[in-house]
Amino acid sequence: MEKILPKTIADLQHFAMTLNRDKYENIPAHAIPKPKFSDADANSLTNAVLYDLVHVRGGACYRINNVGVYDSKRGVYRKGGTRKGIPDIVGVIDGRFYGIEIKHGRDRQSADQRVIELEIKSAGGVYFIATSFSDYVQKMADVEQITR
């Protein structure tokens, strides 16, 4: 039987609630944690996409934090140790590498990110930019269509 994949944030919340009911089967319904997902900002969208990749699609996927670290002794931010341009989410689903860049609002892909995109694609991996949950779902469907 084919798994029904969430197409909207509401579908994702329903999926997560069903998973929580199974996980906490001896807990009264009113006490089961209610998942909350959104794509209203980049952080919320990243969390929703990660949940889908790991819990719905069964992938091994991780959020990559590229921000600098505050050095309190010097009073400045130090460069992070991650290479510039690495996607916000990296992972493997069914043996295939995925690099997903999350962009929200006016945020645009940098030159470093374009270089990484070309490297991932030339190595046979999947790379795309997600601007909303529905955009992510459509791009995942496109990838699945191509790989069939």
Side-chain angles (χ1 to χ4, degrees):
M1 190 160 107
E2 194 171 320
K3 189 188 318 185
I4 297 174
L5 300 173
K7 292 185 184 344
T8 66
I9 290 287
D11 291 347
L12 186 65
Q13 286 179 178
H14 178 74
F15 178 92
M17 189 62 196
T18 302
L19 212 62
N20 281 353
R21 274 194 216 107
D22 293 345
K23 183 177 177 182
Y24 302 109
E25 60 186 43
N26 296 324
I27 306 292
H30 70 276
I32 295 174
K34 291 178 180 41
K36 293 179 183 170
F37 296 105
S38 168
D39 62 0
D41 57 64
N43 190 48
S44 298
L45 176 57
T46 301
N47 290 335
V49 168
L50 262 175
Y51 188 90
D52 183 79
L53 289 167
V54 173
H55 297 285
V56 176
R57 298 172 193 270
C61 301
Y62 309 95
R63 179 180 202 153
I64 304 297
N65 190 351
N66 293 331
V67 298
V69 178
Y70 185 71
D71 184 336
S72 58
K73 288 182 183 178
R74 293 172 41 200
V76 296
Y77 281 91
R78 289 184 288 123
K79 226 170 42 167
T82 308
R83 181 176 167 197
K84 282 178 131 183
I86 298 294
D88 296 312
I89 299 171
V90 296
V92 177
I93 302 170
D94 294 328
R96 183 152 215 194
F97 180 85
Y98 284 77
I100 302 172
E101 184 62 37
I102 302 294
K103 295 294 180 193
H104 197 271
R106 294 183 175 178
D107 200 10
R108 298 291 175 256
Q109 188 182 36
S110 71
D112 292 319
Q113 290 167 336
R114 282 191 290 278
V115 168
I116 296 293
E117 175 182 6
L118 292 173
E119 290 175 359
I120 290 171
K121 287 179 173 179
S122 68
V126 173
Y127 179 101
F128 61 82
I129 297 170
T131 59
S132 67
F133 191 74
S134 60
D135 181 47
Y136 156 76
V137 167
Q138 183 58 56
K139 287 177 178 167
M140 288 298 285
D142 292 347
V143 168
E144 290 168 9
Q145 199 70 25
I146 292 167
T147 57
R148 281 188 185 160

